[in-house]
Amino acid sequence: MSDLASLDTPVPVIDLDIVERNLVRMQNYANAHGIALRPHIKTHKLPAFAKRAVELGAVGITCQKLGEAEVMAAAGLDDILISYPLVGAAKARRLVALTALATMRVAIDNPVALATLAQAARDAKAPIGVLVEFDSGQKRTGVVSVAEALTLIAQVKETPGLRFDGLMTYRSTPATASFIQAVKDAGVDLPIVSGGGTPGWDHTHEVAGLTEMRVGTYIYNDRMMVEAGAATLDDCALHVFATVISRPEENRAVIDCGSKTLSSDPMPGGKIPGFGLILDYPDAIIERLTEEHGMVDLSQCEDKPKIGDRLQILPNHVCVVTNLHNDVVVSRGGLVEGVWPVAARGLTR
Ligand SMILES: Cc1ncc(COP(=O)(O)O)c(C=O)c1O
């Protein structure tokens, strides 16, 4: 097994011990509070990690895209929630194929998506579970009123081949509990109420009525999660290893990774600059990216890296970084254990 120092850069490197710790910690939390864990695989897109989470006790997985679900189902993951509305005949056909491989659930928030599921249900090999999504403050998908939820729930219940399984929202907030209670007060039985989000994950049990949590970023964590207080630097499992390739000025270094490696996601809120945290030089700021290179401001650094030095960078937003790479290096104790293809990357459909 080779040393990490021998890897060519730029390269994403995952520490398997940290991944395992993160998976176990979340499963223990879910177990302790009697909440089902349904991890979102969009962060890693690797069947091996999805399987490990299920082995540890997860009830199934969450996918954001049918393409991700197809890869996971082909790898043997047999309980999958697609957490966004599917619209159109092409999506219905693909969902039918998935019902032959896995127990499928889909979240919807409108009658057109319901019609897509109804179409799929006509040819499906098994009933399709439906979760009605409500908005608990993110202003993304999700019905915004209890009345809308109740109408949609009634329509789901009347549709042959569909099974109403409950509610879904992202993220879980105090507004979540009151919405759930209002639907229950209307006499609706809710076998599943699925909430989510790594930020605030350890408060999920305080949201009354949730039966399931969907978390994704927790497996690797990133600079955003550290700033949000959801993780420490020691909980971060994926780093991009890079090399300083130029020092044109006293206070400027250029590194061999840019937006195609680190993504151009900034830190939210506009207060923390830079496109990643350089672990050995926390005062350095990756202030600008071109596609393949990063310009680093060293003016606040006492020690400055020299040409040829290798840097370990914690990405701002790790899920996007995963999606940029065909493969990732997996490591343990500073040694390379393998190179894994990121099987479900780039599948935007
Ligand atoms: C619908 C849904 N569920 C769960 C998650 C997981 O959230 P996190 O990565 O914060 O754990 C996301 C993330 O975007 C999501 O969109």
Side-chain angles (χ1 to χ4, degrees):
M1 275 187 292
S2 56
D3 204 85
L4 292 179
S6 65
L7 290 171
D8 197 7
T9 66
V11 60
V13 179
I14 292 164
D15 186 312
L16 292 172
D17 289 328
I18 299 177
V19 164
E20 179 71 8
R21 217 167 60 215
N22 292 343
L23 291 177
V24 169
R25 183 191 301 121
M26 196 61 76
Q27 188 63 56
N28 286 346
Y29 170 79
N31 292 348
H33 295 284
I35 302 172
L37 178 62
R38 181 179 288 279
H40 205 310
I41 62 83
K42 48 112 197 181
T43 303
H44 55 79
K45 295 173 178 278
L46 294 166
F49 286 162
K51 285 183 181 172
R52 181 63 186 141
V54 170
E55 215 171 74
L56 288 168
V59 292
I61 59 167
T62 310
C63 295
Q64 205 76 336
K65 292 290 172 131
L66 274 170
E68 292 174 333
E70 286 161 353
V71 169
M72 293 294 152
L77 279 303
D78 63 4
D79 192 323
I80 299 176
L81 165 67
I82 301 199
S83 55
Y84 80 111
L86 301 177
V87 171
K91 297 273 191 283
R93 281 193 294 277
R94 292 167 68 194
L95 181 58
V96 169
L98 279 169
T99 61
L101 300 173
T103 299
M104 293 301 302
R105 290 187 182 82
V106 183
I108 61 166
D109 71 352
N110 68 79
V112 181
L114 173 59
T116 299
L117 297 191
Q119 188 183 344
R122 288 198 278 275
D123 298 322
K125 306 289 178 278
I128 297 167
V130 182
L131 298 182
V132 169
E133 184 184 3
F134 66 97
D135 182 4
S136 48
Q138 292 288 116
K139 296 201 181 300
R140 314 191 327 177
T141 45
V143 297
V144 295
S145 75
V146 173
E148 266 180 285
L150 294 176
T151 304
L152 205 47
I153 290 168
Q155 289 167 346
V156 173
K157 287 182 172 176
E158 284 164 8
T159 307
L162 299 185
R163 185 189 59 239
F164 173 68
D165 278 348
L167 299 176
M168 192 206 96
T169 197
Y170 179 83
R171 293 174 183 163
S172 314
T173 66
T176 311
S178 51
F179 200 103
I180 299 166
Q181 192 54 49
V183 174
K184 281 187 176 167
D185 288 346
V188 180
D189 188 31
L190 297 173
I192 298 175
V193 181
S194 183
T198 299
W201 63 271
D202 48 350
H203 292 277
T204 308
H205 65 284
E206 293 165 15
V207 181
L210 280 192
T211 68
E212 175 179 287
M213 62 192 291
R214 306 177 319 280
V215 276
T217 312
Y218 79 104
I219 188 167
Y220 292 159
N221 291 307
D222 56 20
R223 197 180 180 203
M224 286 185 193
M225 291 306 117
V226 173
E227 286 303 322
T232 66
L233 286 176
D234 289 342
D235 300 326
C236 293
L238 184 151
H239 297 90
V240 173
F241 284 44
T243 301
V244 177
I245 57 158
S246 177
R247 284 289 316 275
E249 293 184 274
E250 169 65 11
N251 283 329
R252 176 154 43 103
V254 180
I255 55 178
D256 60 354
C257 56
S259 59
K260 287 180 173 172
T261 304
L262 292 174
S263 91
S264 33
D265 274 21
M267 291 293 280
K271 292 206 181 92
I272 299 171
F275 294 96
L277 175 70
I278 304 177
L279 292 192
D280 285 336
Y281 300 91
D283 296 324
I285 298 170
I286 308 173
E287 60 173 358
R288 270 179 305 127
L289 300 177
T290 54
E291 288 176 43
E292 303 293 4
H293 298 96
M295 273 46 77
V296 185
D297 173 7
L298 302 175
S299 55
Q300 303 303 312
C301 302
E302 252 173 55
D303 266 351
K304 301 181 204 285
K306 50 186 194 313
I307 296 171
D309 281 357
R310 293 162 69 86
L311 307 176
Q312 210 174 322
I313 301 170
L314 176 64
N316 286 352
H317 185 188
V318 74
C319 313
V320 196
V321 171
T322 289
N323 195 51
L324 292 172
H325 296 272
N326 282 337
D327 39 44
V328 284
V329 168
V330 290
S331 71
R332 216 186 283 275
L335 296 176
V336 175
E337 287 227 338
V339 180
W340 291 358
V342 185
R345 72 156 293 244
L347 301 172
T348 54
R349 282 190 294 279

